[in-house]
Amino acid sequence: MEEKRKLVHTTRIPVRWGDMDYYGHVNNTVYFRYCEQARVEWIELLGFGVDPNCGSGPVVINASCTFLLPINYPATVIVKMYAGEPGRSSVMTWYELFVEGEERLYADGASKVVWMDMATNKSVPLPEGLRAFL
């Protein structure tokens, strides 16, 4: 069964020369950084801090990525981020990575984000503002 997804954020990220590996394409680990950047931008746009001193905040407990096509320098990556229906303390997020100017999907991924109390390392309910947005 397909989960309901809502497009929540789109960002553009220039590929840096140093993002590439020995094989001449963006290293697999960097795709996770691109998704992370989109997620952090989205959380901050909603008015939440991404800071261990905030008291509570988002933590990724699972992440995956399927690499469909290699990305090469120079390029600009377009990351489309989607969110699912919120649970008590978590929300699923999905990512689609494109290269600007092209319609082909280069990678897709997912991560489960849990809201945590930074002092106790225990999950807490999602903030009402985030829940209302979702």
Side-chain angles (χ1 to χ4, degrees):
M1 184 167 106
E2 184 75 17
E3 290 196 51
K4 290 167 91 175
R5 300 177 184 195
K6 175 182 179 180
L7 179 63
V8 294
H9 186 64
T10 301
T11 193
R12 300 172 70 249
I13 304 170
V15 174
R16 301 170 304 172
W17 177 259
D19 290 346
M20 293 191 306
D21 59 20
Y22 178 79
Y23 299 106
H25 54 72
V26 172
N27 186 275
N28 298 52
T29 61
V30 177
Y31 289 68
F32 288 98
R33 292 279 186 189
Y34 296 156
C35 295
E36 174 185 60
Q37 184 64 38
R39 186 173 52 255
V40 168
E41 287 177 11
W42 173 63
I43 290 167
E44 288 179 335
L45 284 170
L46 291 175
F48 301 104
V50 181
D51 180 343
N53 299 316
C54 284
S56 68
V59 176
V60 172
I61 64 163
N62 188 350
S64 64
C65 187
T66 301
F67 309 98
L68 302 168
L69 295 166
I71 298 174
N72 301 69
Y73 177 90
T76 299
V77 175
I78 306 296
V79 181
K80 293 184 178 183
M81 180 182 167
Y82 301 83
E85 293 188 30
R88 181 192 78 81
S89 62
S90 67
V91 62
M92 275 302 299
T93 59
W94 295 272
Y95 309 87
E96 294 177 340
L97 283 72
F98 299 89
V99 168
E100 189 171 65
E102 297 191 29
E103 294 183 18
R104 299 182 298 170
L105 181 64
Y106 278 72
D108 62 17
S111 66
K112 186 170 189 176
V113 178
V114 175
W115 218 262
M116 300 286 286
D117 179 305
M118 298 303 173
T120 65
N121 287 321
K122 302 229 185 254
S123 67
V124 295
L126 290 171
E128 283 306 314
L130 177 59
R131 183 175 300 285
F133 176 80
L134 294 171

